[in-house]
Amino acid sequence: MRRTLFHDDHDDFRVAVRKFVDRELRPQQERFIQQRSIDRSAWLAAGKQGLLGLLVPEKHGGSGAEDDYRFSAVWSEELARLSVAFASSFTIHSEVVAPYLVELTTPEQRERWLPRFCAGELVAAIGMTEPSAGSDLAGLRTTAVRNGSDWVLDGSKTFITNGFGADLVVVAARTSPEKRARGITLFVVEAGMPGFERGRKLDKVGQHEADTAELFFDGMRVPAENVIGEVDRGFVHMMERLPQERIGAAVTNIAHAAQILSETIEYAKERRAFGQAIGSFQYNKFRLAELVTSVEVTQAFVDRCVAAHVGGELTAVDAAKAKWWSAQVQNEVLDACVQLHGGYGYMNEYRVARAWQDARVTKIWAGSNEIMKELIGRDLGL
Ligand SMILES: Cc1cc2nc3c(=O)[nH]c(=O)nc-3n(C[C@H](O)[C@H](O)[C@H](O)COP(=O)(O)OP(=O)(O)OC[C@H]3O[C@@H](n4cnc5c(N)ncnc54)[C@H](O)[C@@H]3O)c2cc1C
């Protein structure tokens, strides 16, 4: 089905992003998987092409596309067509962290971080989740206590995408112990601050290109100039930015499913059993027909949400619907794609096997499917 979301300038941009992916990421993907991280040279190449500053105004070194989220959607889709890990690593930086650094910062902070952020010289991560607080973010336990002109942070974060290599991490910490959600503040933690340590790269089921790590803060002094947003309003700052993170996740989920499904359809035309193409068995033909329908219907809803976001009208509830539903469809599609590949679908050298492993987490991260349904249910007055 023809999509109506994009215009000529988005299509031109897509061609440029596709070239970047084919030049800088695809040939090196296997090495990135083996080393469990993306080379800094790839980040710098993305920065040079203006792909890391899509949501940053030009005066701060960005690409000045911040008023049209469709460019971000194109960037996410083209990364997801190669792998979800590339999409998550790069877009945590360019789409998730960027709004914090643009909207919650002082002119001095913007000047200090954004030009190098856009260039790929500062790779960014965001640390919300802790070993004992994921879905229940308001229960986080990392503390920040004021001490002279500094804050002293103690605690830890886990599952942090880009955490191992990041130069700059937006960290949520408790500044008012008795206030739960109303006692959290955001800090920019920079590599090299005494008391800041990283654990090993975590051994994930999939998405091996992405480095994911634990972070530890032990009496770490953070200058007051590294507080972003208002003290004790960090939870609100995060909640306000989650709908964009979730629609971004939905864009990635469905682009990934659509790509692997189209590769599987080709496979089903070529692979033969009992003297015919396996896709021509009625069961498989109908199964593929169902999956294509499911992807296209989901795509239509996700596109509508992106258009609403461009118009400043995306609700948190619609973003939650798009996120959980697209993750569900993506996982159903990929499971069926593995099935259609038979034994080859279980071999890591086949893209479909890796894609299936990569996709599993999309029902868990950035607000699990259950938490998304909780938000939707609450909106129903339940
Ligand atoms: C690969 C990966 C990358 C990640 N990257 C980042 C990152 O960059 N930054 C970051 O801050 N975090 C990151 N996360 C963390 C992720 O967002 C959390 O794992 C997620 O929010 C779930 O939290 P949890 O793991 O503590 O699970 P829990 O909160 O312990 O949930 C366990 C189960 O209980 C369910 N549950 C919890 N509460 C309810 C409820 N009220 N009703 C019904 N069911 C409920 C959940 O849905 C889940 O099924 C990442 C995680 C992974 C795996």
Side-chain angles (χ1 to χ4, degrees):
M1 194 174 68
R2 199 175 70 81
R3 295 168 70 190
T4 54
L5 181 66
F6 300 111
H7 301 145
D8 288 351
D9 43 357
H10 305 112
D11 295 342
D12 293 345
F13 178 65
R14 187 183 296 281
V15 171
V17 176
R18 212 167 269 190
K19 282 187 186 153
F20 165 82
V21 169
D22 287 341
R23 191 180 63 240
E24 304 291 342
L25 303 181
R26 196 181 301 277
Q28 319 211 61
Q29 184 178 15
E30 193 52 42
R31 190 166 54 77
F32 294 166
I33 286 172
Q34 296 308 326
Q35 71 190 25
R36 302 300 201 249
S37 63
I38 298 167
D39 281 355
R40 180 55 65 106
S41 57
W43 285 94
L44 294 171
K48 198 167 173 195
Q49 203 165 316
L51 300 170
L52 300 180
L54 294 173
L55 296 178
V56 178
E58 279 176 283
K59 64 181 173 189
H60 301 304
S63 315
E66 67 273 18
D67 294 332
D68 188 349
Y69 187 76
R70 286 171 293 188
F71 288 102
S72 296
V74 169
W75 168 226
S76 302
E77 286 180 0
E78 290 304 315
L79 290 167
R81 289 176 66 243
L82 182 54
S83 88
V84 182
F86 284 129
S88 69
S89 275
F90 282 110
T91 66
I92 281 274
H93 174 104
S94 60
E95 317 308 313
V96 177
V97 175
Y100 287 84
L101 298 183
V102 171
E103 296 161 7
L104 298 176
T105 43
T106 63
E108 182 275 326
Q109 290 174 324
R110 288 195 276 277
E111 192 53 39
R112 186 148 47 108
W113 295 315
L114 283 174
R116 286 187 296 148
F117 172 93
C118 295
E121 291 165 12
L122 287 183
V123 170
I126 184 156
M128 301 182 188
T129 307
E130 301 187 353
S132 59
S135 305
D136 183 15
L137 189 56
L140 64 82
R141 293 187 189 165
T142 294
T143 55
V145 177
R146 189 79 199 230
N147 184 305
S149 60
D150 294 342
W151 291 82
V152 179
L153 266 68
D154 283 283
S156 65
K157 298 286 170 184
T158 193
F159 306 143
I160 305 308
T161 304
N162 298 338
F164 195 80
D167 306 283
L168 179 160
V169 188
V170 174
V171 170
R174 178 160 304 290
T175 35
S176 288
E178 69 288 0
K179 290 202 210 151
R180 251 180 85 87
R182 286 195 217 137
I184 293 170
T185 302
L186 300 177
F187 297 84
V188 169
V189 169
E190 297 179 74
M193 285 180 165
F196 177 27
E197 299 290 339
R198 335 223 179 184
R200 64 201 159 87
K201 290 177 192 162
L202 293 170
D203 184 15
K204 305 191 294 293
V205 167
Q207 299 203 22
H208 298 308
E209 302 93 318
D211 84 64
T212 310
E214 291 170 292
L215 310 177
F216 302 100
F217 318 114
D218 181 10
M220 180 182 67
R221 297 187 86 83
V222 179
E225 300 83 65
N226 281 33
V227 170
I228 58 170
E230 283 179 49
V231 170
D232 282 347
R233 271 183 68 82
F235 191 79
V236 174
H237 295 322
M238 290 188 283
M239 291 303 117
E240 285 170 351
R241 282 154 191 82
L242 278 174
Q244 177 168 299
E245 179 172 350
R246 288 175 181 155
I247 192 60
V251 165
T252 295
N253 294 346
I254 205 62
H256 183 240
Q259 176 63 29
I260 302 299
L261 180 56
S262 83
E263 292 174 22
T264 301
I265 291 168
E266 290 312 306
Y267 183 83
K269 286 177 185 166
E270 282 162 21
R271 176 72 180 173
R272 297 179 75 78
F274 300 98
Q276 64 187 89
I278 57 136
S280 68
F281 293 116
Q282 191 186 50
Y283 178 83
N284 292 339
K285 197 192 309 180
F286 279 22
R287 189 74 190 109
L288 286 165
E290 288 167 6
L291 298 175
V292 165
T293 307
S294 194
V295 165
E296 289 190 8
V297 169
T298 305
Q299 186 75 68
F301 183 69
V302 171
D303 283 359
R304 212 176 95 180
C305 288
V306 170
H309 188 46
V310 173
E313 290 168 353
L314 178 67
T315 65
V317 172
D318 282 346
K321 288 175 188 165
K323 184 187 177 283
W324 89 261
W325 180 258
S326 61
Q328 191 74 17
V329 167
Q330 176 192 27
N331 276 273
E332 282 171 16
V333 166
L334 287 172
D335 193 69
C337 289
V338 167
Q339 192 69 20
L340 282 157
H341 276 77
Y344 297 98
Y346 202 63
M347 297 297 124
N348 272 329
E349 67 192 89
Y350 274 72
R351 264 170 61 75
V352 69
R354 287 219 166 114
W356 173 65
Q357 294 162 48
D358 288 355
R360 183 59 184 86
V361 75
T362 68
K363 295 199 283 185
I364 297 172
W365 68 11
S368 66
N369 280 18
E370 292 75 27
I371 295 298
M372 296 303 96
K373 291 175 195 175
E374 178 63 32
L375 292 176
I376 299 160
R378 248 185 259 162
D379 186 60
L380 298 174
L382 299 168

Short mmCIF file of all heavy atoms in Angstrom, two decimals, residues 26-63:
data_model
loop_
_atom_site.label_atom_id
_atom_site.label_comp_id
_atom_site.label_asym_id
_atom_site.label_seq_id
_atom_site.Cartn_x
_atom_site.Cartn_y
_atom_site.Cartn_z
N ARG A 26 26.45 -1.60 7.00
CA ARG A 26 26.27 -2.97 6.51
C ARG A 26 27.59 -3.75 6.38
O ARG A 26 27.69 -4.87 6.89
CB ARG A 26 25.51 -2.95 5.18
CG ARG A 26 24.93 -4.31 4.79
CD ARG A 26 24.20 -4.25 3.44
NE ARG A 26 23.11 -3.30 3.42
CZ ARG A 26 21.88 -3.53 3.87
NH1 ARG A 26 21.60 -4.73 4.36
NH2 ARG A 26 20.95 -2.61 3.81
N PRO A 27 28.64 -3.14 5.77
CA PRO A 27 29.87 -3.93 5.59
C PRO A 27 30.55 -4.28 6.92
O PRO A 27 31.34 -5.21 6.97
CB PRO A 27 30.78 -3.00 4.76
CG PRO A 27 29.91 -1.90 4.27
CD PRO A 27 28.75 -1.79 5.19
N GLN A 28 30.26 -3.53 7.96
CA GLN A 28 30.96 -3.74 9.23
C GLN A 28 30.08 -4.44 10.26
O GLN A 28 30.51 -4.65 11.39
CB GLN A 28 31.35 -2.38 9.82
CG GLN A 28 31.87 -1.41 8.78
CD GLN A 28 32.88 -0.50 9.39
OE1 GLN A 28 33.91 -0.96 9.87
NE2 GLN A 28 32.57 0.78 9.40
N GLN A 29 28.86 -4.76 9.88
CA GLN A 29 27.89 -5.27 10.87
C GLN A 29 28.43 -6.50 11.61
O GLN A 29 28.33 -6.58 12.83
CB GLN A 29 26.56 -5.61 10.18
CG GLN A 29 25.50 -6.05 11.17
CD GLN A 29 24.16 -6.34 10.51
OE1 GLN A 29 24.08 -6.48 9.29
NE2 GLN A 29 23.12 -6.42 11.30
N GLU A 30 29.00 -7.43 10.88
CA GLU A 30 29.45 -8.67 11.52
C GLU A 30 30.52 -8.37 12.58
O GLU A 30 30.51 -8.94 13.67
CB GLU A 30 29.98 -9.63 10.44
CG GLU A 30 30.17 -11.05 10.93
CD GLU A 30 28.96 -11.65 11.63
OE1 GLU A 30 27.82 -11.45 11.15
OE2 GLU A 30 29.14 -12.30 12.67
N ARG A 31 31.43 -7.44 12.23
CA ARG A 31 32.47 -7.07 13.21
C ARG A 31 31.86 -6.39 14.43
O ARG A 31 32.22 -6.68 15.57
CB ARG A 31 33.51 -6.16 12.55
CG ARG A 31 34.76 -5.94 13.40
CD ARG A 31 35.89 -5.34 12.59
NE ARG A 31 35.48 -4.12 11.90
CZ ARG A 31 35.35 -2.95 12.49
NH1 ARG A 31 35.59 -2.85 13.78
NH2 ARG A 31 34.98 -1.88 11.80
N PHE A 32 30.90 -5.51 14.20
CA PHE A 32 30.24 -4.84 15.34
C PHE A 32 29.54 -5.88 16.23
O PHE A 32 29.54 -5.76 17.45
CB PHE A 32 29.23 -3.81 14.85
CG PHE A 32 29.82 -2.62 14.11
CD1 PHE A 32 29.00 -1.77 13.38
CD2 PHE A 32 31.17 -2.34 14.18
CE1 PHE A 32 29.53 -0.67 12.71
CE2 PHE A 32 31.72 -1.24 13.51
CZ PHE A 32 30.90 -0.41 12.77
N ILE A 33 28.96 -6.89 15.59
CA ILE A 33 28.28 -7.94 16.37
C ILE A 33 29.31 -8.68 17.23
O ILE A 33 29.09 -8.91 18.43
CB ILE A 33 27.54 -8.92 15.42
CG1 ILE A 33 26.28 -8.24 14.87
CG2 ILE A 33 27.19 -10.23 16.13
CD1 ILE A 33 25.56 -9.02 13.78
N GLN A 34 30.44 -9.01 16.62
CA GLN A 34 31.46 -9.77 17.37
C GLN A 34 32.04 -8.95 18.52
O GLN A 34 32.26 -9.48 19.61
CB GLN A 34 32.60 -10.21 16.44
CG GLN A 34 32.18 -11.18 15.34
CD GLN A 34 31.42 -12.39 15.88
OE1 GLN A 34 31.67 -12.88 16.96
NE2 GLN A 34 30.42 -12.86 15.11
N GLN A 35 32.25 -7.64 18.29
CA GLN A 35 32.88 -6.82 19.35
C GLN A 35 31.85 -6.23 20.31
O GLN A 35 32.19 -5.59 21.27
CB GLN A 35 33.74 -5.72 18.73
CG GLN A 35 32.96 -4.60 18.06
CD GLN A 35 33.82 -3.65 17.24
OE1 GLN A 35 34.89 -4.01 16.78
NE2 GLN A 35 33.36 -2.42 17.06
N ARG A 36 30.57 -6.49 20.01
CA ARG A 36 29.47 -6.00 20.87
C ARG A 36 29.43 -4.48 21.00
O ARG A 36 29.08 -3.94 22.04
CB ARG A 36 29.55 -6.61 22.30
CG ARG A 36 29.53 -8.15 22.37
CD ARG A 36 28.27 -8.71 21.78
NE ARG A 36 27.93 -10.05 22.20
CZ ARG A 36 27.96 -11.13 21.41
NH1 ARG A 36 28.38 -11.04 20.15
NH2 ARG A 36 27.56 -12.30 21.85
N SER A 37 29.78 -3.80 19.94
CA SER A 37 29.66 -2.34 19.94
C SER A 37 29.91 -1.78 18.54
O SER A 37 30.48 -2.48 17.68
CB SER A 37 30.65 -1.70 20.93
OG SER A 37 31.96 -1.97 20.53
N ILE A 38 29.47 -0.56 18.34
CA ILE A 38 29.63 0.14 17.06
C ILE A 38 30.88 1.01 17.15
O ILE A 38 31.08 1.73 18.14
CB ILE A 38 28.38 1.03 16.82
CG1 ILE A 38 27.13 0.15 16.73
CG2 ILE A 38 28.54 1.89 15.57
CD1 ILE A 38 25.82 0.94 16.82
N ASP A 39 31.71 0.97 16.10
CA ASP A 39 32.94 1.79 16.10
C ASP A 39 32.61 3.28 16.19
O ASP A 39 31.63 3.74 15.61
CB ASP A 39 33.70 1.60 14.77
CG ASP A 39 34.50 0.32 14.76
OD1 ASP A 39 34.55 -0.37 15.79
OD2 ASP A 39 35.07 0.02 13.69
N ARG A 40 33.49 4.00 16.85
CA ARG A 40 33.30 5.45 16.93
C ARG A 40 33.33 6.07 15.52
O ARG A 40 32.65 7.05 15.26
CB ARG A 40 34.39 6.06 17.82
CG ARG A 40 34.29 7.58 17.99
CD ARG A 40 32.92 8.01 18.50
NE ARG A 40 32.66 7.51 19.83
CZ ARG A 40 32.67 8.25 20.93
NH1 ARG A 40 32.89 9.54 20.86
NH2 ARG A 40 32.44 7.71 22.10
N SER A 41 34.10 5.48 14.61
CA SER A 41 34.17 6.06 13.26
C SER A 41 32.78 6.08 12.60
O SER A 41 32.49 6.99 11.81
CB SER A 41 35.17 5.28 12.40
OG SER A 41 34.80 3.93 12.36
N ALA A 42 31.93 5.11 12.92
CA ALA A 42 30.58 5.10 12.34
C ALA A 42 29.74 6.24 12.93
O ALA A 42 28.94 6.88 12.23
CB ALA A 42 29.90 3.75 12.60
N TRP A 43 29.95 6.50 14.22
CA TRP A 43 29.25 7.63 14.85
C TRP A 43 29.69 8.95 14.21
O TRP A 43 28.87 9.82 13.91
CB TRP A 43 29.54 7.68 16.35
CG TRP A 43 28.82 6.65 17.15
CD1 TRP A 43 29.30 5.42 17.51
CD2 TRP A 43 27.49 6.73 17.67
NE1 TRP A 43 28.34 4.74 18.23
CE2 TRP A 43 27.23 5.52 18.35
CE3 TRP A 43 26.50 7.72 17.65
CZ2 TRP A 43 26.02 5.27 19.00
CZ3 TRP A 43 25.29 7.47 18.29
CH2 TRP A 43 25.06 6.26 18.95
N LEU A 44 31.00 9.06 14.00
CA LEU A 44 31.52 10.31 13.41
C LEU A 44 31.01 10.48 11.98
O LEU A 44 30.68 11.59 11.56
CB LEU A 44 33.06 10.29 13.44
CG LEU A 44 33.68 10.33 14.85
CD1 LEU A 44 35.18 10.09 14.80
CD2 LEU A 44 33.38 11.67 15.54
N ALA A 45 30.91 9.37 11.25
CA ALA A 45 30.39 9.44 9.87
C ALA A 45 28.92 9.88 9.88
O ALA A 45 28.48 10.69 9.05
CB ALA A 45 30.55 8.09 9.19
N ALA A 46 28.17 9.35 10.85
CA ALA A 46 26.74 9.75 10.96
C ALA A 46 26.66 11.24 11.30
O ALA A 46 25.81 11.97 10.77
CB ALA A 46 26.04 8.91 12.03
N GLY A 47 27.56 11.67 12.18
CA GLY A 47 27.57 13.09 12.56
C GLY A 47 27.90 13.97 11.37
O GLY A 47 27.25 15.00 11.14
N LYS A 48 28.87 13.53 10.59
CA LYS A 48 29.31 14.32 9.44
C LYS A 48 28.15 14.48 8.44
O LYS A 48 28.03 15.52 7.79
CB LYS A 48 30.49 13.60 8.78
CG LYS A 48 31.29 14.46 7.87
CD LYS A 48 32.60 13.76 7.53
CE LYS A 48 33.32 14.57 6.46
NZ LYS A 48 34.38 13.81 5.86
N GLN A 49 27.33 13.46 8.35
CA GLN A 49 26.22 13.51 7.39
C GLN A 49 24.98 14.20 7.99
O GLN A 49 23.92 14.24 7.37
CB GLN A 49 25.88 12.09 6.93
CG GLN A 49 25.18 12.09 5.59
CD GLN A 49 25.17 10.70 4.96
OE1 GLN A 49 26.16 9.99 4.98
NE2 GLN A 49 24.02 10.31 4.42
N GLY A 50 25.10 14.69 9.21
CA GLY A 50 23.99 15.43 9.82
C GLY A 50 22.88 14.55 10.37
O GLY A 50 21.79 15.02 10.68
N LEU A 51 23.17 13.24 10.57
CA LEU A 51 22.11 12.32 10.98
C LEU A 51 21.90 12.29 12.49
O LEU A 51 20.87 11.80 12.95
CB LEU A 51 22.45 10.91 10.47
CG LEU A 51 22.57 10.81 8.95
CD1 LEU A 51 23.14 9.45 8.53
CD2 LEU A 51 21.20 11.04 8.30
N LEU A 52 22.86 12.82 13.24
CA LEU A 52 22.73 12.76 14.71
C LEU A 52 22.08 14.01 15.29
O LEU A 52 21.72 14.04 16.46
CB LEU A 52 24.11 12.56 15.35
CG LEU A 52 24.85 11.28 14.92
CD1 LEU A 52 26.20 11.19 15.61
CD2 LEU A 52 24.01 10.04 15.24
N GLY A 53 21.92 15.02 14.45
CA GLY A 53 21.37 16.28 14.96
C GLY A 53 20.05 16.65 14.33
O GLY A 53 19.72 17.84 14.20
N LEU A 54 19.27 15.64 13.93
CA LEU A 54 18.00 15.93 13.24
C LEU A 54 17.05 16.75 14.12
O LEU A 54 16.26 17.55 13.61
CB LEU A 54 17.31 14.63 12.82
CG LEU A 54 18.04 13.81 11.75
CD1 LEU A 54 17.36 12.46 11.55
CD2 LEU A 54 18.10 14.58 10.44
N LEU A 55 17.12 16.54 15.43
CA LEU A 55 16.20 17.24 16.33
C LEU A 55 16.86 18.43 17.02
O LEU A 55 16.34 18.95 18.00
CB LEU A 55 15.64 16.26 17.37
CG LEU A 55 14.79 15.12 16.79
CD1 LEU A 55 14.31 14.18 17.89
CD2 LEU A 55 13.58 15.68 16.02
N VAL A 56 18.02 18.82 16.48
CA VAL A 56 18.75 19.93 17.09
C VAL A 56 18.76 21.13 16.12
O VAL A 56 19.04 20.96 14.94
CB VAL A 56 20.22 19.50 17.38
CG1 VAL A 56 21.01 20.65 17.98
CG2 VAL A 56 20.23 18.28 18.31
N PRO A 57 18.45 22.33 16.62
CA PRO A 57 18.47 23.50 15.74
C PRO A 57 19.85 23.73 15.13
O PRO A 57 20.87 23.42 15.76
CB PRO A 57 18.09 24.66 16.68
CG PRO A 57 17.40 24.01 17.83
CD PRO A 57 18.01 22.65 17.98
N GLU A 58 19.84 24.31 13.95
CA GLU A 58 21.11 24.53 13.23
C GLU A 58 22.10 25.36 14.03
O GLU A 58 23.30 25.13 13.98
CB GLU A 58 20.84 25.21 11.89
CG GLU A 58 20.38 24.22 10.83
CD GLU A 58 20.03 24.91 9.52
OE1 GLU A 58 18.94 25.50 9.44
OE2 GLU A 58 20.86 24.85 8.61
N LYS A 59 21.59 26.34 14.79
CA LYS A 59 22.52 27.22 15.53
C LYS A 59 23.32 26.46 16.59
O LYS A 59 24.33 26.95 17.07
CB LYS A 59 21.77 28.39 16.15
CG LYS A 59 20.76 28.02 17.20
CD LYS A 59 20.06 29.26 17.75
CE LYS A 59 18.94 28.82 18.66
NZ LYS A 59 18.05 29.78 19.12
N HIS A 60 22.90 25.24 16.92
CA HIS A 60 23.67 24.44 17.88
C HIS A 60 24.40 23.29 17.18
O HIS A 60 24.77 22.31 17.83
CB HIS A 60 22.74 23.87 18.96
CG HIS A 60 22.01 24.91 19.73
ND1 HIS A 60 22.66 25.93 20.39
CD2 HIS A 60 20.69 25.12 19.93
CE1 HIS A 60 21.77 26.72 20.97
NE2 HIS A 60 20.56 26.25 20.70
N GLY A 61 24.53 23.37 15.87
CA GLY A 61 25.27 22.34 15.14
C GLY A 61 24.38 21.26 14.56
O GLY A 61 24.86 20.28 13.99
N GLY A 62 23.06 21.40 14.74
CA GLY A 62 22.14 20.38 14.25
C GLY A 62 21.76 20.56 12.80
O GLY A 62 22.25 21.45 12.10
N SER A 63 20.84 19.68 12.37
CA SER A 63 20.43 19.69 10.96
C SER A 63 19.19 20.53 10.74
O SER A 63 18.75 20.68 9.60
CB SER A 63 20.15 18.26 10.51
OG SER A 63 21.16 17.41 10.96
#
